[in-house]
């Protein structure tokens, strides 16, 4: 197995790296949070600087909050690129814009290093279970080298197209997921205001056409007032901002997504950015003057 470097041990990165170590992968990790680094090292990983990872690892994975941070980690002073040699592959699993991914691809290609954008879907539960959906853009040969690592972290990994295609797919995914959560929120507020138990409504509709993975994951959380984040509104706010920026660049009107962004803005003002995105329900509750809750299981 190639030695793998892993940079970013946040909500998603920590369980992803943990699964790699548990699978016996030779892993070197880095994160600003030294407690998380020590946790992984206690499991069997090693630690090093960005340059150490570049020198010692054949495959380098990043999963970081923003494209600007990815760029700094890769190309900043003493960053990964400062010590890379030709023939290695960098894989960014962060949620960034297609343009940011394509920039990384071009700059690394100039020094003979491959780059794959490979954002994921499945949230923290999928990261823990190793069942993430991994959406990739880049060259086939680089994807093939990463495939054994992807198979540890996810249940599916697909090369969709050239550089940036993975990031485009993640943006499309975020439209579908977030608008679905908003629709579930609006529906359960309606049920509650009409005097019907929202959990019973959920059970009644989940086997029909309204049923979805999002419904199963988020409706019970709303009904139990459980907004502990698997995916925070803050992170999804960033993703939807990237969606709209990309859409504006290519002249694609996204009226529903634009409305969702304003919902997120309202929740930012009311202090809910670190809630799970099931917390969108709180926006609709404020409009209707009700609270979605159920004691049903």
């Amino acid at each position: 197995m190639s030695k793998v470097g892993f940079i970013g041990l946040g909500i998603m990165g920590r369980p992803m790296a943990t699964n790699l170590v548990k699978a016996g992968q030779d892993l070197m990790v880095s994160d600003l949070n030294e407690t998380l680094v020590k946790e992984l090292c206690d499991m069997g990983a090693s630690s090093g600087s960005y340059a150490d990872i570049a020198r010692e690892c054949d495959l380098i994975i990043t999963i970081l909050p923003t494209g600007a941070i990815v760029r700094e980690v890769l190309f900043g002073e003493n960053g990964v690129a400062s010590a890379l040699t030709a023939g290695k592959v960098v894989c960014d699993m962060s949620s960034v814009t297609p343009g940011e991914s394509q920039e990384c691809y071009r700059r690394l290609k100039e020094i003979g290093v491959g780059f794959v954008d490979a954002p994921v879907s499945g949230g923290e539960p999928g990261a823990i279970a190793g069942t993430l959906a991994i959406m990739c853009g880049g060259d086939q040969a680089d994807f093939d080298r990463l495939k054994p690592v992807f198979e540890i972290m996810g249940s599916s990994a697909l090369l969709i197209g050239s550089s940036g295609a993975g990031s485009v797919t993640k943006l499309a995914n975020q439209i579908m997921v977030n608008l679905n959560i908003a629709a579930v929120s609006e529906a359960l507020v309606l049920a509650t205001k009409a005097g019907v138990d929202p959990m019973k409504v959920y059970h009644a509709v989940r086997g029909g056409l309204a049923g979805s993975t999002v419904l199963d994951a988020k409706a019970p959380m709303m009904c139990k007032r459980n907004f502990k984040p698997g995916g925070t509104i803050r992170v999804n706010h960033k993703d939807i901002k990237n969606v709209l920026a990309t859409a504006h660049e290519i002249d694609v009107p996204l009226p529903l997504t634009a409305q969702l962004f304003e919902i997120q803005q309202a929740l930012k003002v009311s202090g809910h950015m670190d809630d799970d995105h099931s917390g969108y329900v709180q926006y609709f509750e404020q409009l209707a003057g009700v609270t979605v809750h159920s004691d049903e299981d």
Side-chain angles (χ1 to χ4, degrees), residues 208-275:
L209 193 58
S212 69
T213 301
V214 166
L215 179 69
D216 286 338
K218 300 303 178 181
M221 294 180 71
M222 294 174 191
C223 292
K224 299 302 179 186
R225 315 301 298 165
N226 173 19
F227 302 127
K228 180 182 178 183
T232 63
I233 294 173
R234 183 181 305 279
V235 167
N236 284 274
H237 178 261
K238 178 263 296 183
D239 288 347
I240 296 302
K241 186 175 183 179
N242 285 343
V243 168
L244 292 172
T246 301
H248 291 163
E249 286 176 7
I250 58 175
D251 291 331
V252 176
L254 297 177
L256 295 179
T257 306
Q259 182 61 43
L260 172 66
F261 186 74
E262 295 305 321
I263 291 169
Q264 293 173 325
Q265 286 289 102
L267 289 164
K268 178 180 180 180
V269 172
S270 56
H272 293 294
M273 289 293 272
D274 292 317
D275 290 352

Side-chain angles (χ1 to χ4, degrees), residues 97-135:
T97 67
E100 288 168 330
S101 294
Q102 289 162 349
E103 178 190 345
C104 292
Y105 176 89
R106 287 192 300 269
R107 294 179 69 174
L108 291 173
K109 200 75 169 175
E110 290 172 357
I111 58 173
V113 173
F115 178 84
V116 173
D117 46 288
V120 300
S121 181
E124 185 183 19
I128 293 170
T131 57
L132 294 168
I134 305 172
M135 321 157 210

Side-chain angles (χ1 to χ4, degrees), residues 37 54 65 68 75 79 142 165 182 192 195 202 214-215 241 246 280 286 289 291:
V37 171
F75 303 111
D142 297 329
T192 300
Y202 157 65
V214 166
L215 179 69
K241 186 175 183 179
T246 301
Y280 291 160
Q286 291 168 9
T291 300

Side-chain angles (χ1 to χ4, degrees), residues 33-148:
N33 187 328
E34 291 299 327
T35 300
L36 296 179
V37 171
K38 182 178 184 304
E39 179 183 305
L40 266 294
C41 289
D42 288 345
M43 295 179 191
S46 60
S47 67
S49 67
Y50 302 151
D52 291 334
I53 285 174
R55 279 189 291 266
E56 297 186 32
C57 300
D58 301 308
L59 307 176
I60 298 101
I61 293 170
T62 56
I63 182 161
L64 298 162
T66 68
I69 295 172
V70 172
R71 190 184 300 112
E72 179 62 25
V73 166
L74 293 182
F75 303 111
E77 186 177 358
N78 300 316
V80 172
S82 70
L84 279 174
T85 52
K88 298 190 175 186
V89 178
V90 174
C91 174
D92 181 36
M93 305 188 81
S94 316
S95 295
V96 302
T97 67
E100 288 168 330
S101 294
Q102 289 162 349
E103 178 190 345
C104 292
Y105 176 89
R106 287 192 300 269
R107 294 179 69 174
L108 291 173
K109 200 75 169 175
E110 290 172 357
I111 58 173
V113 173
F115 178 84
V116 173
D117 46 288
V120 300
S121 181
E124 185 183 19
I128 293 170
T131 57
L132 294 168
I134 305 172
M135 321 157 210
C136 305
D139 297 340
Q140 184 72 52
D142 297 329
F143 173 80
D144 290 343
R145 288 182 63 186
L146 289 159
K147 192 72 183 293

